[in-house]
Amino acid sequence: MRTMLVFWSAVLVNNFVMSRFLGVCPFLGVSKKVNTALGMGAAVTFVMAIASAAAYMVYNYALIPLHVEFLYNIAFILIIASLVQLVEMFIKKSSPSLYKALGVYLPLITTNCAVLGVTVLNKEAGYGLFTSIINGVGAALGFTLAITLLAGIRERTARNDVPPCFQDFPITLITAGLMSIAFLGFSNLIKL
Amino acid sequence: MSFTILASLGVLGALALLFGAGLGYAGIKFKVLEDERVGAVRELLPSANCGGCGFAGCDGMASAIVNDGLSPLKCPALKAENVQLIAGIMGSSAEAPERRVAFVKCRGTTEVCKYNYKYEGLADCAAAGALAAGGAKSCAYGCLGLGSCAAACKFGAITMKDGLSVVHREKCTACGMCAAACPRGIIEILPYSAEARVFCSSRDNGKTSRANCSLSCVGCKLCEKACEYGAVRVENFLASTDYAKCVNCGKCAEACKSKVIG
């Protein structure tokens, strides 16, 4: 039950983009097309799930026994960077078109604060291995949900008659702000 | 204390080794066979990622050259010898393009041009031109002198001197970013050899032009009469040169009383 709560909390209530404001760079950068946004979401989901597990293991089985917990930030960044490299190699091999569409934002998952954020939040909340992974997957699915919704809206606004001064990024930022307000409607739905 | 230091080193070292080895293995496992010519061509491109070719950067250009047979001449910043080398890699021949440079069609320095007021706003030509009554200088056509072109130049080839953009011809690669950045559109990409260049963009009549700036074209047509090849023409009180017809004889420059050609 608690894991379900953690999951839905990460997806909706504490949505990483919409209420924690983490990972906004790819959220705005890769949200022009729904397909690309879904690809980005999949890549982030993979990285976040594995990163949550790896960060848990490293923190609990390497940093705590040796009393060097203060190294968690740098160790987590190391884990994430390696994982992103791996994902990049895998996508380059398996789907060159997705690789091209994600472009510079793929290696930028490394510096996506949502990924580091979920590992640090897991550590702070003291989640176990399983709950950490659930939280990671939930946060990533929440990210995917937000970015896909925004991409869908952007695909439509692109065809609309937007005043020149609001075209492209300004209207996207307004859209993102309105979405964030909408997501506030989920607040207090779940109390952890 | 020292144990903590050693433990830190050990943990991070071990993690780095582990991940490094894993990535090394994955690198072999997921190796993508890439056309080695792409890398070789990429090495020869200028690496400024200026975007003058229309691709996102030099990487995109390199793969377009190799995979789509794009001409390396599409890169405006490419050195002539590298054009030959790329052509060699691609097994085709390409003639070296004529060297081109950016040229600012204005001589309105702080000394020669009149000022309507003192501008102390944002140092951006487009902002000053659009918001502040067309800029501080009284000439509505000339260089605004706030350095938007210098900021746009990825090669450090434009500096500001006395309220005027100065192109350093040896550094210029003719990528055209300055011309795109200039809200007045007074930067032109010209052949390096061109000599009969008109250093003025004012289409005001002679009297107004001269009142605004002492080094301005008044549209007297002396240059047009002096040119034996029909290369220099005066339209809207402004001389312009057709560089295809110009033979660099220098007669227009001699004839110009306002000293704006040459």
Side-chain angles (χ1 to χ4, degrees):
Chain A
M1 189 57 205
R2 186 176 144 80
T3 48
M4 283 314 283
L5 280 184
V6 167
F7 178 78
W8 287 112
S9 148
V11 175
L12 294 175
V13 182
N14 295 317
N15 186 291
F16 266 54
V17 183
M18 290 302 167
S19 72
R20 290 193 203 270
F21 307 119
L22 292 170
V24 173
C25 166
F27 176 66
L28 294 174
V30 203
S31 58
K32 271 207 171 129
K33 287 204 190 97
V34 170
N35 283 342
T36 323
L38 280 171
M40 185 72 188
V44 170
T45 308
F46 179 79
V47 173
M48 272 180 148
I50 310 275
S52 299
Y56 176 84
M57 308 252 216
V58 167
Y59 187 72
N60 284 284
Y61 299 122
L63 300 187
I64 288 183
L66 291 166
H67 302 293
V68 285
E69 295 92 337
F70 59 88
L71 284 176
Y72 71 89
N73 253 332
I74 193 162
F76 290 176
I77 291 172
L78 190 64
I79 295 166
I80 294 163
S82 317
L83 277 171
V84 171
Q85 284 284 312
L86 186 70
V87 173
E88 189 177 353
M89 286 176 193
F90 179 74
I91 292 184
K92 198 172 178 183
K93 177 86 177 173
S94 61
S95 170
S97 59
L98 182 62
Y99 179 75
K100 214 172 170 186
L102 292 177
V104 70
Y105 292 100
L106 185 55
L108 277 183
I109 300 177
T110 315
T111 51
N112 185 341
C113 45
V115 183
L116 183 63
V118 80
T119 54
V120 173
L121 286 170
N122 283 340
K123 176 197 84 75
E124 299 283 329
Y127 291 149
L129 178 60
F130 181 66
T131 321
S132 289
I133 298 173
I134 290 295
N135 192 30
V137 172
L141 288 180
F143 174 83
T144 312
L145 176 71
I147 195 172
T148 312
L149 285 175
L150 182 69
I153 298 173
R154 278 183 81 171
E155 276 188 0
R156 279 157 195 252
T157 47
R159 286 197 291 271
N160 281 353
D161 193 14
V162 181
C165 55
F166 281 115
Q167 264 164 26
D168 212 15
F169 266 107
I171 195 73
T172 307
L173 288 174
I174 292 171
T175 313
L178 290 175
M179 284 173 70
S180 180
I181 293 171
F183 267 75
L184 281 183
F186 289 115
S187 61
N188 293 329
L189 191 69
I190 297 170
K191 281 247 165 65
L192 272 180
Chain B
M1 183 59 202
S2 64
F3 172 77
T4 311
I5 296 172
L6 285 177
S8 308
L9 280 174
V11 166
L12 286 183
L15 281 176
L17 264 180
L18 185 71
F19 291 137
L23 282 179
Y25 177 72
I28 300 166
K29 190 95 177 156
F30 292 130
K31 199 178 174 88
V32 176
L33 287 176
E34 206 172 44
D35 197 329
E36 60 197 19
R37 292 177 303 174
V38 175
V41 170
R42 176 70 186 77
E43 291 284 304
L44 292 168
L45 292 174
S47 293
N49 292 321
C50 69
C53 54
F55 292 94
C58 294
D59 283 329
M61 179 71 183
S63 83
I65 289 175
V66 174
N67 299 326
D68 310 329
L70 192 78
S71 163
L73 300 182
K74 281 277 189 300
C75 173
L78 194 56
K79 288 202 190 92
E81 62 256 36
N82 286 0
V83 173
Q84 301 296 345
L85 288 172
I86 290 177
I89 292 169
M90 296 303 298
S92 63
S93 62
E95 53 196 74
E98 194 186 6
R99 174 133 190 240
R100 290 152 73 84
V101 288
F103 166 62
V104 182
K105 296 188 277 185
C106 182
R107 257 183 191 163
T109 56
T110 41
E111 279 153 36
V112 302
C113 193
K114 286 212 174 52
Y115 279 74
N116 287 339
Y117 61 91
K118 193 157 187 263
Y119 178 77
E120 287 197 345
L122 183 68
D124 178 87
C125 297
L131 300 174
K137 285 180 185 170
S138 40
C139 174
Y141 298 95
C143 175
L144 287 152
L146 294 170
S148 286
C149 49
C153 184
K154 299 265 189 353
F155 302 93
I158 299 186
T159 51
M160 305 308 296
K161 191 164 181 275
D162 300 330
L164 187 66
S165 310
V166 181
V167 178
H168 302 281
R169 289 161 63 88
E170 299 314 315
K171 282 187 187 168
C172 179
T173 59
C175 69
M177 297 310 274
C178 51
C182 180
R184 291 262 159 103
I186 60 165
I187 303 183
E188 200 177 345
I189 309 296
L190 296 182
Y192 187 80
S193 58
E195 279 175 21
R197 298 164 300 169
V198 182
F199 282 86
C200 186
S201 305
S202 169
R203 290 187 290 280
D204 283 329
N205 63 35
K207 199 178 161 207
T208 317
S209 287
R210 184 48 54 85
N212 288 336
C213 173
S214 61
L215 282 177
S216 62
C217 177
V218 294
C220 66
K221 301 206 178 186
L222 284 175
C223 49
E224 192 176 307
K225 288 182 192 114
C227 185
E228 293 162 17
Y229 304 90
V232 186
R233 298 203 64 82
V234 176
E235 269 170 30
N236 297 326
F237 308 104
L238 180 64
S240 63
T241 310
D242 182 349
Y243 297 98
K245 288 183 185 160
C246 179
V247 297
N248 292 341
C249 68
K251 291 214 170 117
C252 51
E254 274 173 36
C256 182
K257 297 274 189 291
S258 312
K259 307 250 182 315
V260 291
I261 303 186

